[in-house]
Amino acid sequence: MDPHDPVPPPECPGFVDVSVRLTGFDEFALRGTGLVRLYHDTTVEQVGRAAVGRFLDDLAAAGGDPGGLTDEVSRDIARAITHLWYLGVWPQLSRSVHAALGREKPNTAFTVSPEAYTEGLVWQTFHGHPPGAKAPGFGTWTDPPPGAPAPARRTGEDAR
């Protein structure tokens, strides 16, 4: 890093690029969660650096399209990263993938951090709020969600 450059380079750019492809969310939204480094490190810790490298090679061979992944291990890694971004939970890998990775880590699902729950992309998909964590504000339940049609107004005898 150039000491005269006031803006440091972005953290984990390759992981963010892959995550954009997997989640459909843009870089701004992913970085806005504040969880890029944690999710990157969790992925490497859970599957190993070599498996992440093979996954990236397979994704490049598929033209960057996660739907084009043919290797079972790479597909499961893609699924796990996507699951992590949406729910804040590292999921259990399939038994065959866990065995193929030869990792000594337990193959269990776990919530990565308390912030991972509140920053899960799932809430943004329907303009929701994580219960008990980010209250939308008093009385906001009376308004329809963004993008929903306005409720029909009743008039005359219908209003009685």
Side-chain angles (χ1 to χ4, degrees), residues 11-37:
E11 187 174 41
C12 307
F15 183 74
V16 172
D17 292 343
V18 167
S19 297
V20 165
R21 291 182 183 278
L22 294 173
T23 65
F25 279 81
D26 64 19
E27 179 178 352
F28 182 78
L30 298 180
R31 290 194 182 281
T33 66
L35 297 169
V36 170
R37 171 58 68 188

PDB file of all heavy atoms in Angstrom, residues 11-37:
ATOM      1  N   GLU A  11     -10.951  -4.495   0.993  1.00  0.00           N
ATOM      2  CA  GLU A  11     -10.658  -5.749   1.674  1.00  0.00           C
ATOM      3  C   GLU A  11     -11.304  -6.922   0.934  1.00  0.00           C
ATOM      4  O   GLU A  11     -12.463  -6.858   0.554  1.00  0.00           O
ATOM      5  CB  GLU A  11     -11.214  -5.655   3.096  1.00  0.00           C
ATOM      6  CG  GLU A  11     -10.857  -6.797   3.976  1.00  0.00           C
ATOM      7  CD  GLU A  11     -11.332  -6.542   5.397  1.00  0.00           C
ATOM      8  OE1 GLU A  11     -12.449  -6.035   5.585  1.00  0.00           O
ATOM      9  OE2 GLU A  11     -10.579  -6.867   6.306  1.00  0.00           O
ATOM     10  N   CYS A  12     -10.534  -7.982   0.728  1.00  0.00           N
ATOM     11  CA  CYS A  12     -11.023  -9.239   0.124  1.00  0.00           C
ATOM     12  C   CYS A  12     -11.750  -9.020  -1.204  1.00  0.00           C
ATOM     13  O   CYS A  12     -12.879  -9.501  -1.385  1.00  0.00           O
ATOM     14  CB  CYS A  12     -11.933  -9.974   1.102  1.00  0.00           C
ATOM     15  SG  CYS A  12     -11.240 -10.263   2.720  1.00  0.00           S
ATOM     16  N   PRO A  13     -11.151  -8.331  -2.181  1.00  0.00           N
ATOM     17  CA  PRO A  13     -11.883  -8.034  -3.418  1.00  0.00           C
ATOM     18  C   PRO A  13     -12.338  -9.277  -4.172  1.00  0.00           C
ATOM     19  O   PRO A  13     -13.451  -9.308  -4.700  1.00  0.00           O
ATOM     20  CB  PRO A  13     -10.887  -7.210  -4.240  1.00  0.00           C
ATOM     21  CG  PRO A  13      -9.550  -7.549  -3.680  1.00  0.00           C
ATOM     22  CD  PRO A  13      -9.773  -7.872  -2.231  1.00  0.00           C
ATOM     23  N   GLY A  14     -11.508 -10.329  -4.237  1.00  0.00           N
ATOM     24  CA  GLY A  14     -11.910 -11.548  -4.939  1.00  0.00           C
ATOM     25  C   GLY A  14     -13.099 -12.224  -4.287  1.00  0.00           C
ATOM     26  O   GLY A  14     -14.008 -12.704  -4.965  1.00  0.00           O
ATOM     27  N   PHE A  15     -13.119 -12.238  -2.955  1.00  0.00           N
ATOM     28  CA  PHE A  15     -14.230 -12.847  -2.239  1.00  0.00           C
ATOM     29  C   PHE A  15     -15.513 -12.051  -2.470  1.00  0.00           C
ATOM     30  O   PHE A  15     -16.591 -12.629  -2.642  1.00  0.00           O
ATOM     31  CB  PHE A  15     -13.920 -12.940  -0.746  1.00  0.00           C
ATOM     32  CG  PHE A  15     -14.995 -13.620   0.049  1.00  0.00           C
ATOM     33  CD1 PHE A  15     -15.169 -14.988  -0.028  1.00  0.00           C
ATOM     34  CD2 PHE A  15     -15.844 -12.886   0.873  1.00  0.00           C
ATOM     35  CE1 PHE A  15     -16.167 -15.629   0.697  1.00  0.00           C
ATOM     36  CE2 PHE A  15     -16.837 -13.517   1.597  1.00  0.00           C
ATOM     37  CZ  PHE A  15     -17.003 -14.891   1.502  1.00  0.00           C
ATOM     38  N   VAL A  16     -15.400 -10.743  -2.504  1.00  0.00           N
ATOM     39  CA  VAL A  16     -16.577  -9.906  -2.753  1.00  0.00           C
ATOM     40  C   VAL A  16     -17.100 -10.154  -4.164  1.00  0.00           C
ATOM     41  O   VAL A  16     -18.306 -10.298  -4.372  1.00  0.00           O
ATOM     42  CB  VAL A  16     -16.274  -8.412  -2.517  1.00  0.00           C
ATOM     43  CG1 VAL A  16     -17.432  -7.536  -2.975  1.00  0.00           C
ATOM     44  CG2 VAL A  16     -15.972  -8.161  -1.047  1.00  0.00           C
ATOM     45  N   ASP A  17     -16.197 -10.233  -5.158  1.00  0.00           N
ATOM     46  CA  ASP A  17     -16.635 -10.482  -6.538  1.00  0.00           C
ATOM     47  C   ASP A  17     -17.402 -11.801  -6.644  1.00  0.00           C
ATOM     48  O   ASP A  17     -18.459 -11.869  -7.284  1.00  0.00           O
ATOM     49  CB  ASP A  17     -15.433 -10.520  -7.486  1.00  0.00           C
ATOM     50  CG  ASP A  17     -14.764  -9.158  -7.638  1.00  0.00           C
ATOM     51  OD1 ASP A  17     -15.391  -8.138  -7.281  1.00  0.00           O
ATOM     52  OD2 ASP A  17     -13.608  -9.122  -8.105  1.00  0.00           O
ATOM     53  N   VAL A  18     -16.879 -12.841  -6.009  1.00  0.00           N
ATOM     54  CA  VAL A  18     -17.554 -14.139  -6.013  1.00  0.00           C
ATOM     55  C   VAL A  18     -18.897 -14.029  -5.295  1.00  0.00           C
ATOM     56  O   VAL A  18     -19.913 -14.543  -5.758  1.00  0.00           O
ATOM     57  CB  VAL A  18     -16.666 -15.216  -5.353  1.00  0.00           C
ATOM     58  CG1 VAL A  18     -17.448 -16.475  -5.052  1.00  0.00           C
ATOM     59  CG2 VAL A  18     -15.482 -15.531  -6.248  1.00  0.00           C
ATOM     60  N   SER A  19     -18.918 -13.331  -4.179  1.00  0.00           N
ATOM     61  CA  SER A  19     -20.143 -13.183  -3.393  1.00  0.00           C
ATOM     62  C   SER A  19     -21.217 -12.411  -4.154  1.00  0.00           C
ATOM     63  O   SER A  19     -22.405 -12.719  -4.030  1.00  0.00           O
ATOM     64  CB  SER A  19     -19.831 -12.501  -2.057  1.00  0.00           C
ATOM     65  OG  SER A  19     -18.959 -13.306  -1.286  1.00  0.00           O
ATOM     66  N   VAL A  20     -20.806 -11.438  -4.947  1.00  0.00           N
ATOM     67  CA  VAL A  20     -21.765 -10.707  -5.789  1.00  0.00           C
ATOM     68  C   VAL A  20     -22.434 -11.679  -6.757  1.00  0.00           C
ATOM     69  O   VAL A  20     -23.656 -11.678  -6.929  1.00  0.00           O
ATOM     70  CB  VAL A  20     -21.063  -9.552  -6.549  1.00  0.00           C
ATOM     71  CG1 VAL A  20     -21.927  -9.024  -7.684  1.00  0.00           C
ATOM     72  CG2 VAL A  20     -20.692  -8.431  -5.586  1.00  0.00           C
ATOM     73  N   ARG A  21     -21.638 -12.551  -7.369  1.00  0.00           N
ATOM     74  CA  ARG A  21     -22.197 -13.537  -8.310  1.00  0.00           C
ATOM     75  C   ARG A  21     -23.129 -14.527  -7.616  1.00  0.00           C
ATOM     76  O   ARG A  21     -24.136 -14.943  -8.167  1.00  0.00           O
ATOM     77  CB  ARG A  21     -21.076 -14.299  -9.002  1.00  0.00           C
ATOM     78  CG  ARG A  21     -20.278 -13.463  -9.959  1.00  0.00           C
ATOM     79  CD  ARG A  21     -19.214 -14.312 -10.646  1.00  0.00           C
ATOM     80  NE  ARG A  21     -18.382 -13.527 -11.512  1.00  0.00           N
ATOM     81  CZ  ARG A  21     -18.710 -13.170 -12.753  1.00  0.00           C
ATOM     82  NH1 ARG A  21     -19.860 -13.536 -13.254  1.00  0.00           N
ATOM     83  NH2 ARG A  21     -17.884 -12.455 -13.480  1.00  0.00           N
ATOM     84  N   LEU A  22     -22.774 -14.917  -6.400  1.00  0.00           N
ATOM     85  CA  LEU A  22     -23.566 -15.916  -5.686  1.00  0.00           C
ATOM     86  C   LEU A  22     -24.855 -15.351  -5.099  1.00  0.00           C
ATOM     87  O   LEU A  22     -25.862 -16.055  -5.042  1.00  0.00           O
ATOM     88  CB  LEU A  22     -22.735 -16.548  -4.561  1.00  0.00           C
ATOM     89  CG  LEU A  22     -21.543 -17.396  -5.005  1.00  0.00           C
ATOM     90  CD1 LEU A  22     -20.722 -17.813  -3.787  1.00  0.00           C
ATOM     91  CD2 LEU A  22     -22.006 -18.620  -5.783  1.00  0.00           C
ATOM     92  N   THR A  23     -24.830 -14.116  -4.636  1.00  0.00           N
ATOM     93  CA  THR A  23     -25.984 -13.567  -3.919  1.00  0.00           C
ATOM     94  C   THR A  23     -26.903 -12.716  -4.774  1.00  0.00           C
ATOM     95  O   THR A  23     -28.078 -12.565  -4.450  1.00  0.00           O
ATOM     96  CB  THR A  23     -25.533 -12.699  -2.730  1.00  0.00           C
ATOM     97  OG1 THR A  23     -24.838 -11.544  -3.225  1.00  0.00           O
ATOM     98  CG2 THR A  23     -24.670 -13.481  -1.761  1.00  0.00           C
ATOM     99  N   GLY A  24     -26.359 -12.104  -5.824  1.00  0.00           N
ATOM    100  CA  GLY A  24     -27.159 -11.179  -6.612  1.00  0.00           C
ATOM    101  C   GLY A  24     -27.171  -9.773  -6.020  1.00  0.00           C
ATOM    102  O   GLY A  24     -27.770  -8.864  -6.588  1.00  0.00           O
ATOM    103  N   PHE A  25     -26.515  -9.574  -4.895  1.00  0.00           N
ATOM    104  CA  PHE A  25     -26.402  -8.248  -4.293  1.00  0.00           C
ATOM    105  C   PHE A  25     -25.121  -7.596  -4.794  1.00  0.00           C
ATOM    106  O   PHE A  25     -24.148  -8.283  -5.095  1.00  0.00           O
ATOM    107  CB  PHE A  25     -26.367  -8.345  -2.762  1.00  0.00           C
ATOM    108  CG  PHE A  25     -27.726  -8.503  -2.150  1.00  0.00           C
ATOM    109  CD1 PHE A  25     -28.334  -9.745  -2.108  1.00  0.00           C
ATOM    110  CD2 PHE A  25     -28.391  -7.420  -1.613  1.00  0.00           C
ATOM    111  CE1 PHE A  25     -29.585  -9.905  -1.547  1.00  0.00           C
ATOM    112  CE2 PHE A  25     -29.646  -7.554  -1.049  1.00  0.00           C
ATOM    113  CZ  PHE A  25     -30.251  -8.809  -1.014  1.00  0.00           C
ATOM    114  N   ASP A  26     -25.114  -6.263  -4.885  1.00  0.00           N
ATOM    115  CA  ASP A  26     -23.919  -5.580  -5.370  1.00  0.00           C
ATOM    116  C   ASP A  26     -22.874  -5.424  -4.275  1.00  0.00           C
ATOM    117  O   ASP A  26     -23.129  -5.692  -3.095  1.00  0.00           O
ATOM    118  CB  ASP A  26     -24.270  -4.232  -6.000  1.00  0.00           C
ATOM    119  CG  ASP A  26     -24.872  -3.220  -5.028  1.00  0.00           C
ATOM    120  OD1 ASP A  26     -24.717  -3.366  -3.797  1.00  0.00           O
ATOM    121  OD2 ASP A  26     -25.490  -2.258  -5.516  1.00  0.00           O
ATOM    122  N   GLU A  27     -21.696  -4.995  -4.688  1.00  0.00           N
ATOM    123  CA  GLU A  27     -20.575  -4.852  -3.760  1.00  0.00           C
ATOM    124  C   GLU A  27     -20.902  -3.892  -2.623  1.00  0.00           C
ATOM    125  O   GLU A  27     -20.550  -4.150  -1.466  1.00  0.00           O
ATOM    126  CB  GLU A  27     -19.337  -4.363  -4.514  1.00  0.00           C
ATOM    127  CG  GLU A  27     -18.133  -4.171  -3.624  1.00  0.00           C
ATOM    128  CD  GLU A  27     -16.873  -3.730  -4.360  1.00  0.00           C
ATOM    129  OE1 GLU A  27     -16.872  -3.705  -5.612  1.00  0.00           O
ATOM    130  OE2 GLU A  27     -15.899  -3.411  -3.667  1.00  0.00           O
ATOM    131  N   PHE A  28     -21.592  -2.814  -2.929  1.00  0.00           N
ATOM    132  CA  PHE A  28     -21.941  -1.827  -1.905  1.00  0.00           C
ATOM    133  C   PHE A  28     -22.774  -2.466  -0.794  1.00  0.00           C
ATOM    134  O   PHE A  28     -22.514  -2.260   0.390  1.00  0.00           O
ATOM    135  CB  PHE A  28     -22.706  -0.656  -2.543  1.00  0.00           C
ATOM    136  CG  PHE A  28     -23.056   0.427  -1.589  1.00  0.00           C
ATOM    137  CD1 PHE A  28     -22.111   1.357  -1.186  1.00  0.00           C
ATOM    138  CD2 PHE A  28     -24.349   0.529  -1.087  1.00  0.00           C
ATOM    139  CE1 PHE A  28     -22.435   2.371  -0.291  1.00  0.00           C
ATOM    140  CE2 PHE A  28     -24.684   1.528  -0.193  1.00  0.00           C
ATOM    141  CZ  PHE A  28     -23.730   2.462   0.200  1.00  0.00           C
ATOM    142  N   ALA A  29     -23.763  -3.259  -1.167  1.00  0.00           N
ATOM    143  CA  ALA A  29     -24.621  -3.910  -0.172  1.00  0.00           C
ATOM    144  C   ALA A  29     -23.838  -4.912   0.665  1.00  0.00           C
ATOM    145  O   ALA A  29     -24.011  -4.983   1.887  1.00  0.00           O
ATOM    146  CB  ALA A  29     -25.804  -4.598  -0.856  1.00  0.00           C
ATOM    147  N   LEU A  30     -22.969  -5.683   0.023  1.00  0.00           N
ATOM    148  CA  LEU A  30     -22.196  -6.687   0.753  1.00  0.00           C
ATOM    149  C   LEU A  30     -21.209  -6.025   1.710  1.00  0.00           C
ATOM    150  O   LEU A  30     -21.097  -6.421   2.873  1.00  0.00           O
ATOM    151  CB  LEU A  30     -21.465  -7.614  -0.212  1.00  0.00           C
ATOM    152  CG  LEU A  30     -22.354  -8.446  -1.138  1.00  0.00           C
ATOM    153  CD1 LEU A  30     -21.500  -9.323  -2.043  1.00  0.00           C
ATOM    154  CD2 LEU A  30     -23.353  -9.267  -0.364  1.00  0.00           C
ATOM    155  N   ARG A  31     -20.516  -5.022   1.241  1.00  0.00           N
ATOM    156  CA  ARG A  31     -19.570  -4.329   2.115  1.00  0.00           C
ATOM    157  C   ARG A  31     -20.305  -3.593   3.236  1.00  0.00           C
ATOM    158  O   ARG A  31     -19.775  -3.442   4.334  1.00  0.00           O
ATOM    159  CB  ARG A  31     -18.693  -3.376   1.317  1.00  0.00           C
ATOM    160  CG  ARG A  31     -17.704  -4.113   0.436  1.00  0.00           C
ATOM    161  CD  ARG A  31     -16.623  -3.197  -0.095  1.00  0.00           C
ATOM    162  NE  ARG A  31     -15.728  -3.905  -0.975  1.00  0.00           N
ATOM    163  CZ  ARG A  31     -14.738  -4.697  -0.569  1.00  0.00           C
ATOM    164  NH1 ARG A  31     -14.529  -4.886   0.711  1.00  0.00           N
ATOM    165  NH2 ARG A  31     -13.969  -5.310  -1.438  1.00  0.00           N
ATOM    166  N   GLY A  32     -21.513  -3.152   2.955  1.00  0.00           N
ATOM    167  CA  GLY A  32     -22.302  -2.437   3.951  1.00  0.00           C
ATOM    168  C   GLY A  32     -22.675  -3.281   5.164  1.00  0.00           C
ATOM    169  O   GLY A  32     -23.009  -2.749   6.221  1.00  0.00           O
ATOM    170  N   THR A  33     -22.599  -4.594   5.027  1.00  0.00           N
ATOM    171  CA  THR A  33     -22.894  -5.454   6.174  1.00  0.00           C
ATOM    172  C   THR A  33     -21.767  -5.421   7.199  1.00  0.00           C
ATOM    173  O   THR A  33     -21.980  -5.761   8.361  1.00  0.00           O
ATOM    174  CB  THR A  33     -23.081  -6.923   5.733  1.00  0.00           C
ATOM    175  OG1 THR A  33     -21.844  -7.426   5.228  1.00  0.00           O
ATOM    176  CG2 THR A  33     -24.200  -7.068   4.708  1.00  0.00           C
ATOM    177  N   GLY A  34     -20.570  -5.059   6.758  1.00  0.00           N
ATOM    178  CA  GLY A  34     -19.414  -5.068   7.647  1.00  0.00           C
ATOM    179  C   GLY A  34     -18.871  -6.460   7.925  1.00  0.00           C
ATOM    180  O   GLY A  34     -18.078  -6.645   8.849  1.00  0.00           O
ATOM    181  N   LEU A  35     -19.294  -7.451   7.131  1.00  0.00           N
ATOM    182  CA  LEU A  35     -18.940  -8.841   7.418  1.00  0.00           C
ATOM    183  C   LEU A  35     -18.062  -9.511   6.364  1.00  0.00           C
ATOM    184  O   LEU A  35     -17.843 -10.714   6.418  1.00  0.00           O
ATOM    185  CB  LEU A  35     -20.229  -9.646   7.607  1.00  0.00           C
ATOM    186  CG  LEU A  35     -21.080  -9.195   8.795  1.00  0.00           C
ATOM    187  CD1 LEU A  35     -22.449  -9.838   8.753  1.00  0.00           C
ATOM    188  CD2 LEU A  35     -20.371  -9.494  10.093  1.00  0.00           C
ATOM    189  N   VAL A  36     -17.535  -8.743   5.429  1.00  0.00           N
ATOM    190  CA  VAL A  36     -16.735  -9.332   4.355  1.00  0.00           C
ATOM    191  C   VAL A  36     -15.562 -10.126   4.909  1.00  0.00           C
ATOM    192  O   VAL A  36     -15.365 -11.296   4.568  1.00  0.00           O
ATOM    193  CB  VAL A  36     -16.240  -8.248   3.367  1.00  0.00           C
ATOM    194  CG1 VAL A  36     -15.219  -8.823   2.390  1.00  0.00           C
ATOM    195  CG2 VAL A  36     -17.416  -7.643   2.620  1.00  0.00           C
ATOM    196  N   ARG A  37     -14.759  -9.524   5.758  1.00  0.00           N
ATOM    197  CA  ARG A  37     -13.568 -10.209   6.287  1.00  0.00           C
ATOM    198  C   ARG A  37     -13.974 -11.442   7.094  1.00  0.00           C
ATOM    199  O   ARG A  37     -13.384 -12.508   6.957  1.00  0.00           O
ATOM    200  CB  ARG A  37     -12.743  -9.250   7.147  1.00  0.00           C
ATOM    201  CG  ARG A  37     -11.610  -9.897   7.934  1.00  0.00           C
ATOM    202  CD  ARG A  37     -10.585 -10.640   7.110  1.00  0.00           C
ATOM    203  NE  ARG A  37      -9.812  -9.727   6.299  1.00  0.00           N
ATOM    204  CZ  ARG A  37      -8.951 -10.116   5.361  1.00  0.00           C
ATOM    205  NH1 ARG A  37      -8.734 -11.398   5.151  1.00  0.00           N
ATOM    206  NH2 ARG A  37      -8.313  -9.245   4.641  1.00  0.00           N
TER     207      ARG A  37
END
